[in-house]
Amino acid sequence: MAPFRVLILEDDAILALDLETIVCCWTDAEVTACRSIAQARKAMTDGFDLALLDIDVVDGKSYEFAESLRSSKLPFAFVSGAMQDDCPETLRDAAFIPKPYTQRAIESVVASAAGARRHP
């Protein structure tokens, strides 16, 4: 089976590294961290099993990117300091982990996506 792949969209380098560390300590995932939506779109050609998205990044809000992930049936979760109620109505039911996040919250999302991948 191909490795579990995680995309992290986070423009704060320290938070991106922290998220990557949590993901990699919990699973043997291959992680790609992107600072911008433009970088994340380019990285998507590699295919991912899960995306962790900050809402406010250097080149705007990630809502449209999240909508494209949803259309592609790719699991994602917002990991953001923004308010979940500020999300467009079509995304309010998306997994949402508020900052400051806990390691357990990140692990739970990763476990859910990894489990769904292994048990279709």
Side-chain angles (χ1 to χ4, degrees):
M1 179 182 284
F4 186 69
R5 304 207 51 211
V6 178
L7 172 74
I8 296 173
L9 174 58
E10 172 60 66
D11 58 355
D12 181 304
I14 293 171
L15 291 178
L17 182 59
D18 187 54
L19 287 168
E20 182 173 353
T21 300
I22 292 169
V23 170
C24 289
C25 284
W26 194 86
T27 183
D28 61 349
E30 289 181 8
V31 175
T32 299
C34 300
R35 297 191 68 227
S36 69
I37 297 162
Q39 287 176 343
R41 286 192 188 286
K42 287 180 186 174
M44 285 306 297
T45 60
D46 294 336
F48 289 91
D49 299 297
L50 173 67
L52 300 175
L53 310 175
D54 188 6
I55 290 174
D56 295 297
V57 292
V58 294
D59 55 350
K61 296 197 181 287
S62 63
Y63 298 137
E64 187 178 313
F65 184 66
E67 290 282 6
S68 69
L69 296 177
R70 178 168 275 175
S71 295
S72 300
K73 299 191 183 330
L74 180 81
F76 69 92
F78 290 116
V79 181
S80 180
M83 301 296 296
Q84 187 171 12
D85 290 344
D86 292 339
C87 290
E89 193 163 326
T90 57
L91 292 170
R92 286 196 190 139
D93 64 339
F96 190 95
I97 301 169
K99 290 179 183 174
Y101 53 81
T102 64
Q103 180 173 336
R104 184 176 302 265
I106 302 302
E107 289 172 350
S108 177
V109 168
V110 172
S112 178
R117 179 177 178 259
R118 291 187 183 109
H119 306 289

